[in-house]
Amino acid sequence: MCCPGNKYTGIYPERSVEHIVNSSTIRFISRFKGVALKINIRQTVKQVSDCGAKEEKRILRFNSSFMKHIFSTLFFLSGSISLFSQSIFAPSTYHNKLRIRAVRAKGKIHINGKVNEPDWEACQTATQFLQSYPSQRSAASFETKVKVLFDEQYLYIGAVCSNTGNTILVEDLRRDFRYDNNELFGVFIEPFQNVQNPVYSFLVTPYGTQRDLLIYDDRIYDLKWDALWLAKSTITDTAWSTEIAIPWSTLRYPADSTTWSINFNRNIRSKNEFTGWSPWPIAYSVGRMAYAGLLTDVHPPKSGNNVRLQPYFLTNATKQTDTKWWAKPQAGGEVKWLANSSTSIEATVNTDFAQADVDRQVINLNRSSVFLPERRQFFLENANLFAVGQDEIIQPFFSRTIGLDNYGNPLRINGGGRIIHQTGKRAIGALVMNQLDKDTTTQTWFGLLRAQENLGAKARIGCMFNYRHDQLDGNTNTVFSADGFWQVTEPLFIRPMLSYSMNTNGKNRGAAFFNELAFVKNKYALRWFQTVVTKDYLPKTGFVSRNNFINTRPSLTLNLPVKWLGNRLRFLGPSMLADIFHEASTKNLQEINLNITPLQGTLASGASFWAAVLPTWQRLSAPFNPVPGVIIPEGDYHYAYYNVGFSSNQSAPLSFNIEASAGGYYNVHLSRYTIGGRCRPIPQISFVLTYFVNRFTQLKTNQTAVVTHLVAPEARISFTPKIQLTGFYQYNTVTNLGGLNARFAWEYQPLSFVYLVFNNVRTLDEKPGISRINDAAAILKISYIKQL
């Protein structure tokens, strides 16, 4: 399916999949583990080469010729584009970088968003922001002024954002809002002046809503990193302003540091304009700190033995079908000790994720397992250090294997610990966890050791060892991995990985290889992913989308600025991607999926449209059952389907998106429709409705059609940015279940919450012969963070 929008021009990628474990949802998944939902179940269709040699050669010869023709054309186009495209400008030399001086505050700074204390008047001002998007290094439409203060407790940033007569657009008031759909101001800090270190990122909207994340290599975005910091904003007729206070204990910095890398950015959402203080090319994001300026004369206090306690208490009342309500109190928590500026030690006891949101369902119509990103907070801390491989394809270590069984059912995590040591030269991490197994009589131990060494400013190598020991069968699964990263030039990088797995029972000794090659310019991006997973490779603490495969995935995306339709159309982004699978053990072809998008555009408002054709070649060696009532027999298939869509300005008070696909699907016809709408009368209230339909026709059975429906309405009321009430419902006709999740969240102090959660999963149409389900859970959870 084609994805709208420009995904490599400095806009942070946002995941549309939201998944956090919830007890009632897990029961729902386990009861329907045979249904193609977004659950971590391998659905691999193993291929057995039963076609004649002539047919095999004919398919390979045709595909080889076709692919050669397509990609030679695209490479020619990319070469032609480079002749007239604006070059990516180089970062400023150290002596020519923009600088802003931090000033020690003499009085108390009140975080109210007004930037009006006398100390602010003594500060230097960072201003004259320039565009990164859509017009690289052009002047920003509105002025932004930034100042920096500090005292013994906080680093302060104050910003005044001129907005005369202009509409302020935000989606809603949720924490960790989406980057490109909101007016915002952001601060990006790297104290060690090392481009390979994570970038601390703090963003705030005109309504005081906060978002924080870590950025690695201007490529990986740790969106679920949560830090202790304060922010308030205020809006006037001519501007909006914000004050940010970042505790020193939130940051890691060298002991003798007085100069840090820093940058500021502002999204003027009504203009769909991304601007910054120290400009960066349109091909990158503000997280590329080689282009950042410098914060000078900053004098943080000496790092102490900072300790952060995070206890919790909850009561979980549950009711399963035909049973009575029963309640169970529970307590646990986490402790984090920042021993020095480079080393942190963390421990968790009776780890719990009861307040988390429910799974977002989807019907999975392909042959690979669906990748569910980690959403549990403890495992998200420093997760990038342990992230080796490629999301959705192969990861030797995947934290969702801890605390969940093979079907996604939650298991009790008794406790664990983690140590992280990170400097400008190297990083070392270790993780140990213990879970109580489903039968409650045995346990499983998990261990992980990771080391990474920087080789200069643009390269590094690393290795990782992880194991899993199951007491139930006495088996230990061990995985060794080695990886690297080399930024050959600013546009070009290489990221290889080699992994080997083995079991103590002598089985499943296998290897895997992965490499990413990327060349990203302002007006085009070339990428090549190559993955090989042998038949016996089995990382029991990792993720692979299928086994025994070779995946080749080249792609080319163009990003062509245009001035059509009275400047309403900004960019055209035609693209092509090929996703090719072979069986590793026999080298036989399994499938080829092409995504050719000749028409894809972005409007000045932020709306987008696209049209694509998706030719597909499939070889099945066993029947495939994507949804009940549709059975695809083994054999060779060649078909194509077509995809069109339009997404309006998602920041507007009223917005919508529509997508339609139609064409072949193996030996049947498939029509797919997605309709979405959002109503936001005021930023504090929003309503969202999403509706998915799959219609299978031309079936080889007595049925005329098989139709699936998935409807998902959602409502959000934000009394303040810290007090939120949400309701989410979804009904899937494939499972004949409806699920309700309602959640009240009050952040009564930074990162300390009171949660009230209600979940219910029930059968809506009680058909004969089908078991009725009516599971419910009500949760009260109180968490508290104390910085010592």
Side-chain angles (χ1 to χ4, degrees), residues 314-596:
L314 70 81
T315 297
N316 188 355
T318 60
K319 175 186 178 298
Q320 296 185 353
T321 305
D322 299 327
T323 66
K324 295 182 179 180
W325 285 90
W326 62 280
K328 179 182 178 181
Q330 183 175 314
E334 301 169 17
V335 58
K336 182 176 182 178
W337 174 35
L338 189 62
N340 53 55
S341 62
S342 302
T343 306
S344 65
I345 302 174
E346 303 166 72
T348 178
V349 177
N350 200 14
T351 313
D352 173 78
F353 312 103
Q355 79 280 4
D357 203 355
V358 296
D359 297 319
R360 306 290 170 137
Q361 298 180 32
V362 70
I363 306 299
N364 181 18
L365 299 181
N366 62 51
R367 297 159 59 185
S368 297
S369 298
V370 176
F371 179 82
L372 295 175
E374 179 63 82
R375 290 291 184 262
R376 297 172 295 176
Q377 188 57 45
F378 178 82
F379 294 109
L380 290 168
E381 291 284 344
N382 299 291
N384 181 73
L385 177 61
F386 305 113
V388 176
Q390 180 188 8
D391 284 358
E392 304 182 18
I393 297 292
I394 177 173
Q395 286 192 337
F397 173 74
F398 184 41
S399 58
R400 278 185 53 83
T401 58
I402 303 174
L404 299 172
D405 67 12
N406 292 334
Y407 303 116
N409 297 293
L411 301 171
R412 177 188 172 97
I413 298 178
N414 295 320
R418 176 173 53 210
I419 299 176
I420 302 293
H421 176 76
Q422 193 167 35
T423 68
K425 294 182 178 181
R426 63 185 56 87
I428 300 173
L431 175 71
V432 176
M433 300 295 294
N434 175 262
Q435 78 179 23
L436 188 65
D437 292 337
K438 192 173 183 178
D439 61 6
T440 71
T441 62
T442 62
Q443 301 180 44
T444 299
W445 285 93
F446 300 85
L448 177 64
L449 182 62
R450 171 73 163 147
Q452 204 172 70
E453 184 77 14
N454 292 340
L455 306 177
K458 293 188 176 183
R460 64 173 175 266
I461 58 173
C463 61
M464 186 168 68
F465 164 79
N466 52 290
Y467 80 92
R468 170 175 176 156
H469 177 72
D470 294 280
Q471 286 186 352
L472 184 63
D473 58 10
N475 183 57
T476 299
N477 176 260
T478 306
V479 181
F480 301 90
S481 304
D483 67 304
F485 178 83
W486 181 23
Q487 189 85 46
V488 184
T489 64
E490 284 296 335
L492 175 66
F493 72 81
I494 301 171
R495 187 168 65 94
M497 181 207 74
L498 184 63
S499 184
Y500 180 79
S501 71
M502 61 181 178
N503 286 350
T504 53
N505 60 15
K507 299 180 180 179
N508 299 111
R509 293 178 179 266
F513 168 79
F514 163 78
N515 185 58
E516 177 185 3
L517 175 66
F519 188 80
V520 181
K521 299 284 284 186
N522 280 354
K523 294 190 177 181
Y524 64 95
L526 288 164
R527 300 183 187 275
W528 190 292
F529 294 92
Q530 187 67 58
T531 308
V532 179
V533 175
T534 63
K535 182 179 180 180
D536 292 322
Y537 180 74
L538 179 62
K540 295 186 69 175
T541 52
F543 174 86
V544 288
S545 60
R546 54 175 80 181
N547 79 341
N548 191 23
F549 72 93
I550 301 172
N551 178 233
T552 304
R553 184 180 294 183
S555 68
L556 170 64
T557 303
L558 308 182
N559 187 48
L560 310 177
V562 295
K563 295 191 178 295
W564 298 350
L565 304 177
N567 290 332
R568 294 181 182 177
L569 179 62
R570 282 187 172 173
F571 289 91
L572 287 177
S575 64
M576 180 172 179
L577 179 145
D579 201 12
I580 307 168
F581 286 90
H582 289 80
E583 189 176 53
S585 57
T586 65
K587 310 302 186 296
N588 291 331
L589 179 69
Q590 289 182 321
E591 61 180 284
I592 298 176
N593 303 287
L594 300 182
N595 189 326
I596 304 170

Side-chain angles (χ1 to χ4, degrees), residues 605-662:
S605 65
S608 59
F609 59 89
W610 64 95
V613 58
L614 296 93
T616 300
W617 291 261
Q618 297 278 356
R619 174 168 293 171
L620 287 178
S621 62
F624 179 40
N625 181 212
V627 298
V630 178
I631 299 177
I632 312 298
E634 61 183 88
D636 289 345
Y637 299 93
H638 169 45
Y639 55 89
Y641 70 97
Y642 305 88
N643 174 261
V644 295
F646 178 81
S647 178
S648 71
N649 177 4
Q650 296 298 299
S651 301
L654 288 173
S655 61
F656 70 94
N657 59 278
I658 184 169
E659 183 173 355
S661 302

Side-chain angles (χ1 to χ4, degrees), residues 8-30:
Y8 65 93
T9 58
I11 300 176
Y12 300 144
E14 304 284 359
R15 294 187 184 277
S16 60
V17 178
E18 302 246 350
H19 177 85
I20 311 180
V21 178
N22 176 272
S23 56
S24 61
T25 300
I26 292 301
R27 285 196 299 275
F28 151 73
I29 286 176
S30 64

